[in-house]
Amino acid sequence: MSLADLAGRLSRSDLSPREAVEYYLDRIERHDGEINSYISVRGEEALADAVALEKRAPADRGPLWGVPVAVKDVIDVEGTVTTCGSYVTEGAWPAERDAGVVAGLRDAGAIVLGKLNTHEYAYGAMTTSPRFGSGHNPWATDRIVGGSSGGSGACSAARLAAGTLGTDTAGSVRIPASFNGVTGLRPTTGRVSNRGVFPVSFTYDTVGPLAPSAEDCALLLTAMAGHDPEDPSTADVPVPTYERELGGGIEGLRVGVVRSLLDGDIDARIADAVAAGIDELRGLGAQVRDVSMPMIEHFGTIQQATQFADATQVHAPTMRTNLDAYGPDVRARLLTGLFIPSTVYAAGQRARRVAYETMRKAFGDVDVLCAPTMPVLPPRIGEDTVELNGRTTLYRLTIIPYNSPWSLVGLPVLSVPCGFVDGMPVGMALIAWRFAESTLFRAGHTYQQATDWHVREPALTSTTA
Amino acid sequence: MADEAPSIEYLRAAAALQGVHPSDEDLEAVQGFLSVLLPAFSELETMTPAGTVPAGMFVPIDQP
């Protein structure tokens, strides 16, 4: 059942918020032991929230009235410790208030079921938390869930919440969306409040929804987008009611295929799946053409030139006093940031302008860009390499070329499931110009009306938590 | 910019100047990152035309 379907059933009183919460708590109890997507479950609190919502007058019920959701554990939920998946936070106090995005979801009537597994401090793409253990991919539990919002991807895929929130700095919503076979949106940087969200990099971070369908993500984004006076990085740009802009089809939509990524260092079977997805868009009326993008191979380097220092600056006080509490991989990344010369940071900011102008020019001729979300299948847990067309390569090196180009200039990206390779889902990325999320949702929704990749669910067999 | 990662001794001293005291094992992992990053960063200086202003903290809001 999609989030949109559930919201419809709740609004028609086909079931109550309490029944919806009980349904998901039962699924969590039966299945989360298999995939380890939750760090904490707010069972009693969620049931109490449901009872309180049932007392609301119908006129006061929002579009997400009674919809159970779950959020990545770098996002504050009042009364719950934000663990960031790290031993560093052991003994921390519970958050005193909700993050801006959580407040938005609650205002719309959503119920927070719990906090989801994450790569430590959202600084990595594996979700192998040293404190809470690795997430397990619901499509093959010996494989990783991706990250850093891996718990969000796995939870959505296993239908252990109606929808989830993740965060994205350089792919952390899109990668788990692709690896777990769900839809995920990285919104435009500045579209959504980051207040109450533990940062990786202030200039790249954004919170995004993961759920079965584009329509589900539209509902979630409407509830949480907009200017936040307490977060100066949010833009004062009007927020559409995204779910009302899904119709109309994509006849004449100008889609640019980023040929260098589709023909790049990518598993050929994934490229075939994405190419089939592009054919589907063409069949639905899109005007598809190839797009070349000068210097795109350098865009990942530009993001790294700034992101490493940003992240290390946030953690520097803790690194001086409690360095050993970090897991080895995050500790190494944070330490690396100590040695990025200030001249590199400055050069990166100037090169970022070049990338921005390159991208702006590309969007003069197209409405949407299209590329593979990820070029590889998820590695097996405990391994940091993947097979790529018959050779072994480091997983982390495959991520940057396919994800950083869009984060670098703050563009919105929607990853939609577009097929399976070796029984594992793969994703197609649709990219739009800044604040054009409506176009992405319309394209994604039209594609999902014609395909069924997004409604397929993994077989879960566990009966114990 | 040098293409080779700095020595462990250099990294240890530079970290200490910033009040951080990692193990040699940690610094070997850092060398692994820097050996990939530093050569790539060298190219940044050559790809930016003169007069290009920084993107700043947040990229601008305008139309394509």
Side-chain angles (χ1 to χ4, degrees):
Chain A
M1 181 165 44
S2 73
L3 183 151
D5 291 339
L6 177 64
R9 291 185 63 188
L10 285 159
S11 69
R12 293 190 300 272
S13 299
D14 291 346
L15 80 167
S16 69
R18 184 182 176 88
E19 288 171 325
V21 169
E22 288 172 339
Y23 170 79
Y24 284 107
L25 290 178
D26 177 63
R27 285 190 64 80
I28 294 166
E29 177 74 16
R30 286 190 289 122
H31 297 303
D32 198 51
E34 191 177 1
I35 62 174
N36 194 29
S37 68
Y38 276 86
I39 283 177
S40 60
V41 178
R42 302 173 69 251
E44 291 183 12
E45 296 94 330
L47 286 167
D49 290 346
V51 169
L53 280 169
E54 288 171 2
K55 294 174 182 168
R56 274 194 195 176
D60 296 332
R61 295 174 181 175
L64 298 178
W65 182 72
V67 172
V69 299
V71 304
K72 181 179 182 178
D73 203 8
V74 296
I75 301 172
D76 284 350
V77 173
E78 182 183 345
T80 305
V81 174
T82 304
T83 70
C84 299
S86 178
Y87 282 114
V88 171
T89 57
E90 274 192 313
W93 292 89
E96 293 182 352
R97 60 188 294 215
D98 287 335
V101 290
V102 173
L105 294 183
R106 287 207 214 244
D107 285 348
I111 298 168
V112 180
L113 284 173
K115 308 293 289 292
L116 296 170
N117 208 348
T118 171
H119 201 103
E120 186 178 22
Y121 278 105
Y123 203 22
M126 307 277 276
T127 308
T128 48
S129 163
R131 181 172 171 190
F132 298 103
S134 180
H136 294 260
N137 196 300
W139 294 94
T141 53
D142 63 336
R143 292 185 186 259
I144 69 162
V145 290
S148 63
S149 311
S152 308
C155 177
S156 291
R159 307 308 195 248
L160 303 188
T164 65
L165 297 188
T167 61
D168 191 311
T169 304
S172 286
V173 162
R174 296 160 276 165
I175 297 164
S178 178
F179 281 179
N180 294 279
V182 298
T183 306
L185 176 81
R186 175 198 163 89
T188 306
T189 313
R191 174 76 291 180
V192 172
S193 172
N194 284 328
R195 178 181 61 75
V197 181
F198 199 94
V200 175
S201 166
F202 284 106
T203 72
Y204 297 110
D205 292 348
T206 185
V207 180
L210 298 94
S213 73
E215 183 181 16
D216 299 339
C217 291
L219 277 158
L220 291 167
L221 187 65
T222 299
M224 65 185 191
H227 178 60
D228 179 354
E230 296 184 67
D231 178 359
S233 74
T234 51
D236 195 2
V237 175
V239 180
T241 304
Y242 292 107
E243 63 273 22
R244 292 185 189 157
E245 301 191 353
L246 297 169
I250 58 170
E251 183 73 38
L253 187 77
R254 300 173 302 167
V255 175
V257 177
V258 186
R259 181 55 59 185
S260 62
L261 295 180
L262 194 60
D263 293 346
D265 205 8
I266 180 172
D267 185 320
R269 301 166 300 172
I270 295 175
D272 288 345
V274 174
I278 294 166
D279 283 343
E280 187 73 40
L281 294 174
R282 186 184 287 108
L284 291 164
Q287 296 175 5
V288 179
R289 57 189 288 188
D290 284 351
V291 169
S292 65
M293 203 164 288
M295 292 174 46
I296 192 172
E297 69 274 18
H298 295 296
F299 287 6
T301 301
I302 300 170
Q303 177 159 4
Q304 290 187 302
T306 48
Q307 182 186 305
F308 267 99
D310 283 347
T312 298
Q313 188 278 323
V314 169
H315 287 270
T318 308
M319 292 168 68
R320 295 187 186 104
T321 59
N322 202 14
L323 183 64
D324 290 341
Y326 293 97
D329 67 315
V330 169
R331 191 163 64 232
R333 286 192 191 93
L334 291 173
L335 287 166
T336 299
L338 292 176
F339 308 108
I340 305 299
S342 56
T343 50
V344 165
Y345 193 92
Q349 286 289 23
R350 293 183 67 213
R352 193 175 179 185
R353 171 75 65 175
V354 175
Y356 177 82
E357 295 299 337
T358 299
M359 207 68 82
R360 192 158 71 106
K361 186 176 178 185
F363 275 99
D365 297 324
V366 300
D367 303 305
V368 169
L369 292 173
C370 185
T373 304
M374 280 295 290
V376 295
L377 297 178
R380 301 195 187 277
I381 293 170
E383 298 179 0
D384 61 0
T385 59
V386 286
E387 293 298 315
L388 184 54
N389 298 330
R391 60 186 167 80
T392 302
T393 189
L394 277 174
Y395 163 63
R396 64 182 166 84
L397 296 182
T398 69
I399 298 166
I400 295 165
Y402 284 81
N403 287 276
S404 284
W406 328 125
S407 323
L408 180 64
V409 294
L411 302 181
V413 186
L414 184 73
S415 178
V416 293
C418 69
F420 285 81
V421 170
D422 271 355
M424 300 304 297
V426 297
M428 176 171 68
L430 302 170
I431 306 104
W433 188 246
R434 290 167 58 76
F435 300 100
E437 281 86 353
S438 287
T439 305
L440 295 182
F441 286 137
R442 180 163 53 89
H445 179 69
T446 304
Y447 176 77
Q448 292 182 337
Q449 294 296 103
T451 58
D452 69 352
W453 305 114
H454 66 293
V455 299
R456 300 191 187 190
E457 297 181 30
L460 300 170
T461 56
S462 176
T463 56
T464 56
Chain B
M1 186 180 303
D3 280 356
E4 290 184 10
S7 67
I8 295 291
E9 292 72 24
Y10 174 88
L11 294 174
R12 187 187 305 117
L17 280 173
Q18 299 179 70
V20 181
H21 301 283
S23 68
D24 283 2
E25 188 178 353
D26 287 335
L27 292 175
E28 287 169 10
V30 170
Q31 278 185 316
F33 275 110
L34 292 177
S35 66
V36 175
L37 291 171
L38 292 179
F41 288 157
S42 296
E43 297 181 27
L44 288 181
E45 297 174 354
T46 63
M47 73 173 70
T48 311
T52 302
V53 298
M57 184 164 180
F58 306 113
V59 293
I61 302 164
D62 52 20
Q63 296 302 310

